[in-house]
Amino acid sequence: PLSVLRSVTNSCAPSAANRAAMASPKRMRDDLLDRGIDRVYLYGARPEEVWVELDPRDLLKLDLKLADVATTIRQTSQDLPSGELSGGEQQVRSLGLLRRAEELKEVEVKALPDGRKILLGDVAKVSEAFKEDTQQGIRGSDPAIELEILRSPVTDALTTASTVDEYLEEIRATLPAQLEIEAYDVRAKSIRERIQLLVTNGLGGLLLVLGVLFLFLNARVAFWVAVGIPASLMATVAIMWASGQTINMISMFGMIMAIGIVVDDAIVVGEHAEQRFRDGLSPVEAAIAGAKRMAAPVSSSTLTTICAFMPLFLISGIMGQIIAAIPFVVVAVLIASLIECFFVLPGHLSHALAPRPGLFQRSSLLRAIGDKAVRFQARFDKRFVRFRETGFRTFAQRAIAGRYVTAAIAIGAFVVSVGAVLGGKVGYQFFPSPEPDRIYANIKMMPGTARADTRATLAKVDAALFRGLETLADDPDDVVVLTMGKIGGPVGSTPFTSVSSTDTLGGIAVELVSSDRRDVLAREVITAWRQAVGDIAGLESLTFAGARAGPPGGDVDVRLSGGEPKVLKAASLRVQELLKRYPAVSDIDDNLPYSKPEKIIKLNDRGRAMGFTTEDVARQVRNAIDGAIAKRFPRDDEEVWVRVQFAREDVNVNLLDRLYLRSPSGAEVPLKAVVDTRDDLGFSRIRREGGRREVAVSGELDLRQSSTGEITRSLEKDGLLDIAAEYGLDYRFAGRAEEQRDTNSDMLLGTTLGLTCIYIVLAWVFSSYTRPLVVMSVIPIGFVGAVIGHAVWGVDLTILSIFAILGLSGIVINDSIVLVTTIDERLKSEQVIDALVNGSCDRLRAVFLTSATTIGGLTPLLFEKSLQAQFLIPMALTLVFGLATATFIVLLLVPALIMIQHDLGTFFRNLFAANAEQPSEA
């Protein structure tokens, strides 16, 4: 949360009212820190100074330098201890500390031979003012002070926001009349909206999950299976609390995804226990049999799912921090679900399977409702069994009989899906940010521009925003909450204090109405704003950007390093011209701005002959321009400087031509007589990375037209290599391209490790080196479903989609494990074809149930229109469509592959047998 205190006065004089206006934010900062707020930063509060302004001609008449006057003030204004008397009984202090302008006017600066005294007030204008060259905030046309209130990573954002809100309500009545307080960019508001969004979708998914359970299972069995959802989630929350995790948008998405996954184990055990009860076992025997029979496959499927999510823990950097909550939540849920499934559920099932009169039998109304529900479930179950024994069985028989065609279709679907992504039919974005609620405009004026001109330009840019909004909305208040300007530094992704104050930089931060309550997109506002600004004299660059979530850095960020600043700047300009060729790239700039024009002065031989040194010249020139600091003393809670300087109107470009220096012999000499001068243009700041000078060329990218990868490849092909070679520089891609490269590397390592662990678990379960390959063959089918889902929804694949595919691989393997285990058990007593078909039919209900519950938990999120949820939809699409595709493919492809495995085994056994018989026949 940020707060703005806006003063209605533009005067730079520290009057009592203005001092109160400056003191109030500092008091607020201290109060908030006392209330437990972690960090509070204060921007725009200008320090107070005492100015002693002198005329150079008066100094010449009095034979004084600025430094002489400053030394006199320093020696006069003192507060020094002077010892103790009588062994410490009495202290002596020399007190003469002058704190106000009126007091300093009485300082004697020179005594004339005739006895007259020249006081400071006789020859100087002594006044109090606020420091001019600091970074300043602007709200409309008024100066503004900003309090930035931040929390630590372990502090609750909503609690912090509540504390701030309560304090602001208390403090408003005590503020000076000329202060107006406004809260803006309150992140807690977005957090509340996103939590509400996910809670709503989570509850909708939970209802769908419960509906699926009660549709396919006995009502009492379904009830106890469903009890595992809150039990496992509460256990997960307890684990998160114990390990220091937080509830955030990503962890809540993990919980929504876990709603469907958490009941998979219980479904398998409950469905098998119910089946054994129908076969004639008692309720207790059926519950025990279900748990014992499914112990191995359920435990192994849990292990494989954990292995599938483990690679997400290996992702480093910002992406690792963003995504880490999902595998943590899922692994915690799986462990809690496994414990509940085998140590709690069987006891409940033993009672649930036994028919007993309950609540439905005690009320005629409830009994009638229960009877209707039972009859509906019976009809549905009868139709499901008929579908399984007729339509699905026939389909399974044909898939197994045409097993090579089945495998070829699966391989073909995978190849087509990969081709669709590589060919651009289904796009890919690394990490699309949610619709921003804040946009920024940064200006950079030509070197040498005065601060007043920068402020005037900033006012023009601010006014252009509202002219642009006239083309988008009837009322600007429907789009914009407020605007906040800053002079002396940039706004947005670059922190306010990241660069030293400069008169040529400024920016405007715009808070938009929440994305779910406006019809205009941020990019449309930026486009209209850019068009409305037009051409402004003296403006070197103007860039626009929206606030970003996710990995730091720009979409396009080219780093050049290894040369002198001027070489880096020349190469940067060439790269910027190269980037302008691409229509998708806008707001191109670099971080090596020119500084103000420099006047280089160098001591000449004549000056050295007169006794001048470079240090002496530099000190006298600096005093003439910036003033000499005579004294620093505390006043209230800040340090006040006494600055002795020439009148500000005399400090202009002609100052050096009329400036006199005092030589060591006491003679007054014109500056231009002892120094040589030349003009130059330097840089306001030079960045280094790894000890080498570096410049970053960045730009905003329209992801609807191109991607970061396409732009980087085009740059290398179209001339970036030649530019780097011509100037003798090294280059690299930073920003999101660098984050993408690091994430891809971590994912490759994690995926390899995860698949290896899955294979080891499966090899242990099946005691075979080849059977795990059959089970793992369904993983690519999940990718096919993900591509289909993104194509149908018209959404690009993202890095979150890839993360979801890793998790999806563990979920679809679960179904394969239970299916293969069932088939292997039937192979002991049945022919291969019969075992495959019957095993597939046996597991149809369980496989469909486990997939349907996970799909049901995530389906509401697919239809969420909130712009804040759009970046989560690719993950939901991957899981929903991946599971929907893999559900039936598992039941058809896995038996077909087992049959192919059997064919190959028979072929090689016959081949080896034939080779073994040939010598005996000879």
Side-chain angles (χ1 to χ4, degrees):
L2 303 176
S3 300
V4 176
L5 290 113
R6 179 171 63 175
S7 173
V8 299
T9 175
N10 281 301
S11 172
C12 67
S15 62
N18 284 343
R19 284 197 180 96
M22 289 292 181
S24 295
K26 299 172 184 177
R27 175 165 60 91
M28 292 176 63
R29 176 192 57 194
D30 296 339
D31 290 346
L32 287 169
L33 291 173
D34 291 340
R35 295 194 177 207
I37 302 299
D38 297 311
R39 289 175 290 172
V40 183
Y41 297 109
L42 187 65
Y43 301 130
R46 302 161 64 190
E48 190 174 338
E49 294 186 337
V50 177
W51 287 359
V52 179
E53 297 181 283
L54 294 150
D55 190 311
R57 291 168 295 185
D58 292 335
L59 289 176
L60 285 174
K61 292 177 182 178
L62 296 172
D63 192 24
L64 292 173
K65 296 188 299 185
L66 285 175
D68 297 334
V69 177
T71 300
T72 301
I73 294 173
R74 185 182 309 112
Q75 293 174 347
T76 304
S77 178
Q78 294 287 344
D79 182 1
L80 298 173
S82 300
E84 297 178 346
L85 299 175
S86 303
E89 294 182 2
Q90 189 176 25
Q91 293 182 338
V92 179
R93 293 183 66 191
S94 299
L95 183 62
L97 186 61
L98 308 178
R99 297 177 180 270
R100 298 294 178 188
E102 294 300 323
E103 297 172 345
L104 286 171
K105 289 181 180 180
E106 303 301 320
V107 172
E108 179 183 338
V109 295
K110 189 163 186 174
L112 298 179
D114 59 4
R116 287 181 299 162
K117 297 180 180 180
I118 305 299
L119 303 180
L120 186 62
D122 297 333
V123 294
K125 177 185 176 183
V126 185
S127 61
E128 298 181 1
F130 292 119
K131 193 173 181 180
E132 289 184 324
D133 60 350
T134 57
Q135 295 177 346
Q136 300 175 22
I138 302 174
R139 174 76 173 95
S141 60
D142 304 323
I145 297 175
E146 181 182 72
L147 286 171
E148 184 177 7
I149 303 164
L150 303 175
R151 66 178 181 87
S152 69
V154 297
T155 304
D156 187 278
L158 300 182
T159 301
T160 300
S162 177
T163 301
V164 172
D165 290 341
E166 292 174 1
Y167 175 73
L168 293 182
E169 288 301 318
E170 295 175 10
I171 198 69
R172 285 182 197 275
T174 67
L175 293 175
Q178 75 271 28
L179 283 186
E180 177 184 351
I181 186 169
E182 298 173 289
Y184 83 105
D185 194 15
V186 181
R187 308 292 175 85
K189 179 177 65 175
S190 298
I191 293 174
R192 291 190 184 97
E193 292 175 352
R194 293 177 181 182
I195 289 176
Q196 183 60 40
L197 180 151
L198 290 176
V199 168
T200 302
N201 283 274
L203 291 175
L206 178 61
L207 293 176
L208 288 176
V209 170
L210 295 176
V212 171
L213 290 176
F214 281 91
L215 189 62
F216 280 89
L217 297 176
N218 175 290
R220 299 178 69 188
V221 173
F223 172 79
W224 288 113
V225 169
V227 166
I229 297 176
S232 299
L233 290 180
M234 285 190 290
T236 300
V237 171
I239 295 173
M240 292 176 65
W241 174 78
S243 60
Q245 297 291 316
T246 63
I247 300 295
N248 53 56
M249 196 167 188
I250 301 297
S251 61
M252 289 196 66
F253 177 82
M255 291 184 183
I256 293 176
M257 184 169 63
I259 288 175
I261 299 175
V262 73
V263 294
D264 287 356
D265 297 344
I267 286 173
V268 172
V269 174
E271 192 270 342
H272 190 72
E274 186 178 2
Q275 182 64 42
R276 298 304 298 269
F277 176 71
R278 292 175 181 173
D279 293 340
L281 294 182
S282 66
V284 175
E285 292 173 339
I288 295 174
K292 292 178 64 176
R293 170 65 184 79
M294 291 299 163
V298 167
S299 299
S300 59
S301 65
T302 300
L303 287 176
T304 55
T305 305
I306 292 175
C307 291
F309 280 94
M310 287 299 289
L312 301 184
F313 283 114
L314 299 180
I315 297 174
S316 59
I318 297 297
M319 282 306 306
Q321 297 176 23
I322 292 174
I323 205 66
I326 289 182
F328 185 92
V329 168
V330 171
V331 170
V333 164
L334 287 172
I335 294 174
S337 173
L338 189 66
I339 295 173
E340 194 273 343
C341 178
F342 290 113
F343 293 95
V344 179
L345 182 62
H348 294 312
L349 290 178
S350 64
H351 298 287
L353 293 172
R356 297 182 181 180
L359 179 62
F360 284 98
Q361 280 69 38
R362 298 171 188 165
S363 167
S364 57
L365 177 61
L366 294 178
R367 186 166 56 251
I369 295 174
D371 291 341
K372 289 184 178 180
V374 170
R375 287 196 297 270
F376 173 80
Q377 187 183 44
R379 288 196 302 270
F380 177 84
D381 190 63
K382 183 178 180 181
R383 292 174 181 173
F384 180 82
V385 171
R386 184 165 61 246
F387 164 75
R388 183 187 65 189
E389 297 301 326
T390 55
F392 180 76
R393 180 177 290 274
T394 302
F395 202 54
Q397 290 171 342
R398 291 178 178 176
I400 296 170
R403 46 194 173 274
Y404 296 100
V405 175
T406 302
I409 292 174
I411 295 172
F414 178 71
V415 171
V416 170
S417 300
V418 173
V421 176
L422 296 179
K425 298 298 182 183
V426 177
Y428 175 78
Q429 299 181 31
F430 177 60
F431 192 96
S433 296
E435 168 69 12
D437 289 339
R438 299 174 309 283
I439 57 177
Y440 309 103
N442 282 295
I443 66 172
K444 183 165 60 176
M445 304 298 291
M446 297 297 293
T449 303
R451 174 168 290 224
D453 294 332
T454 302
R455 178 165 183 169
T457 300
L458 208 61
K460 294 178 182 178
V461 174
D462 193 8
L465 168 65
F466 293 94
R467 290 200 306 271
L469 289 176
E470 292 176 358
T471 64
L472 300 176
D474 296 332
D475 185 356
D477 292 339
D478 294 337
V479 181
V480 173
V481 177
L482 59 79
T483 62
M484 174 74 179
K486 295 176 183 177
I487 297 177
V491 297
S493 58
T494 304
F496 192 52
T497 57
S498 65
V499 297
S500 58
S501 177
T502 172
D503 295 340
T504 60
L505 296 181
I508 297 176
V510 180
E511 182 182 3
L512 303 176
V513 173
S514 177
S515 57
D516 296 331
R517 296 198 298 270
R518 56 179 158 89
D519 300 325
V520 180
L521 297 178
R523 65 171 179 266
E524 296 173 344
V525 176
I526 290 176
T527 300
W529 193 1
R530 182 184 287 112
Q531 294 173 350
V533 170
D535 296 328
I536 299 179
L539 185 62
E540 181 178 333
S541 71
L542 171 62
T543 59
F544 298 90
R548 289 179 174 273
D555 294 320
V556 180
D557 191 340
V558 184
R559 303 294 176 93
L560 303 170
S561 60
E564 295 295 323
K566 292 184 178 179
V567 175
L568 290 173
K569 186 64 176 182
S572 166
L573 295 175
R574 290 277 301 277
V575 174
Q576 291 181 51
E577 290 298 324
L578 188 60
L579 283 170
K580 290 177 182 177
R581 299 181 185 179
Y582 311 121
V585 183
S586 62
D587 300 303
I588 303 167
D589 200 2
D590 65 27
N591 64 345
L592 189 60
Y594 285 113
S595 65
K596 301 176 181 179
E598 293 181 343
K599 178 74 73 173
I600 307 298
I601 59 175
K602 185 176 181 180
L603 184 66
N604 57 28
D605 293 339
R606 183 179 179 182
R608 279 189 288 270
M610 297 180 67
F612 283 103
T613 64
T614 300
E615 179 185 2
D616 187 30
V617 171
R619 183 175 59 254
Q620 292 193 51
V621 172
R622 182 179 181 85
N623 288 344
I625 297 173
D626 291 338
I629 304 302
K631 185 71 177 176
R632 302 179 185 182
F633 59 86
R635 180 192 292 169
D636 299 327
D637 61 345
E638 68 176 14
E639 185 180 58
V640 178
W641 292 13
V642 178
R643 188 184 298 272
V644 181
Q645 60 191 8
F646 289 145
R648 292 296 86 190
E649 59 269 16
D650 292 333
V651 181
N652 51 43
V653 293
N654 298 320
L655 173 67
L656 298 183
D657 294 331
R658 61 177 188 272
L659 182 64
Y660 279 77
L661 303 182
R662 177 175 291 185
S663 70
S665 63
E668 296 288 342
V669 183
L671 171 68
K672 57 185 179 181
V674 297
V675 300
D676 297 326
T677 64
R678 62 182 175 86
D679 294 325
D680 197 2
L681 188 62
F683 301 94
S684 60
R685 63 184 185 276
I686 300 173
R687 297 184 181 273
R688 293 177 181 268
E689 183 70 25
R692 306 180 71 195
R693 298 185 187 92
E694 183 180 78
V695 59
V697 183
S698 59
E700 295 294 316
L701 182 62
D702 187 346
L703 297 176
R704 297 169 298 169
Q705 301 182 44
S706 185
S707 66
T708 301
E710 292 174 350
I711 294 298
T712 55
R713 289 190 295 270
S714 298
L715 279 172
E716 291 182 319
K717 183 178 66 174
D718 294 341
L720 180 58
L721 293 171
D722 297 334
I723 294 173
E726 178 181 347
Y727 290 94
L729 303 175
D730 297 325
Y731 79 91
R732 64 185 177 92
F733 295 107
R736 296 208 167 188
E738 184 178 32
E739 189 71 31
Q740 182 175 350
R741 184 172 60 251
D742 295 342
T743 300
N744 291 342
S745 176
D746 293 338
M747 282 181 56
L748 179 62
L749 173 63
T751 302
T752 303
L753 182 61
L755 292 177
T756 302
C757 292
I758 290 174
Y759 178 84
I760 293 173
V761 171
L762 295 178
W764 165 66
V765 171
F766 296 112
S767 301
S768 169
Y769 293 112
T770 56
R771 190 53 59 87
L773 299 177
V774 174
V775 176
M776 296 173 68
S777 64
V778 300
I779 293 177
I781 303 303
F783 177 76
V784 174
V787 172
I788 293 174
H790 285 75
V792 170
W793 241 251
V795 175
D796 290 342
L797 286 164
T798 69
I799 190 64
L800 298 180
S801 305
I802 307 302
F803 293 159
I805 289 174
L806 294 178
L808 176 65
S809 63
I811 300 173
V812 298
I813 283 177
N814 291 353
D815 297 335
S816 299
I817 291 174
V818 177
L819 173 60
V820 173
T821 304
T822 303
I823 291 174
D824 286 344
E825 185 176 355
R826 282 187 171 273
L827 283 172
K828 297 176 182 178
S829 58
E830 298 177 4
Q831 295 296 320
V832 177
I833 297 291
D834 294 336
L836 293 174
V837 174
N838 292 334
S840 185
C841 291
D842 287 347
R843 302 317 307 163
L844 176 62
R845 183 191 297 268
V847 169
F848 184 82
L849 258 176
T850 54
S851 298
T853 51
T854 305
I855 291 172
L858 293 170
T859 295
L861 194 59
L862 298 185
F863 300 94
E864 179 58 56
K865 299 301 182 183
S866 170
L867 295 174
Q868 297 298 324
Q870 297 306 302
F871 84 106
L872 289 177
I873 287 181
M875 295 187 75
L877 281 171
T878 299
L879 293 169
V880 169
F881 278 86
L883 280 174
T885 304
T887 297
F888 289 102
I889 297 298
V890 164
L891 295 168
L892 300 175
L893 179 61
V894 170
L897 291 177
I898 293 177
M899 192 64 201
I900 292 175
Q901 183 185 19
H902 180 268
D903 293 343
L904 293 175
T906 302
F907 171 77
F908 284 109
R909 282 195 299 271
N910 293 337
L911 181 61
F912 293 149
N915 291 336
E917 292 175 359
Q918 285 180 3
S920 61
E921 292 177 358

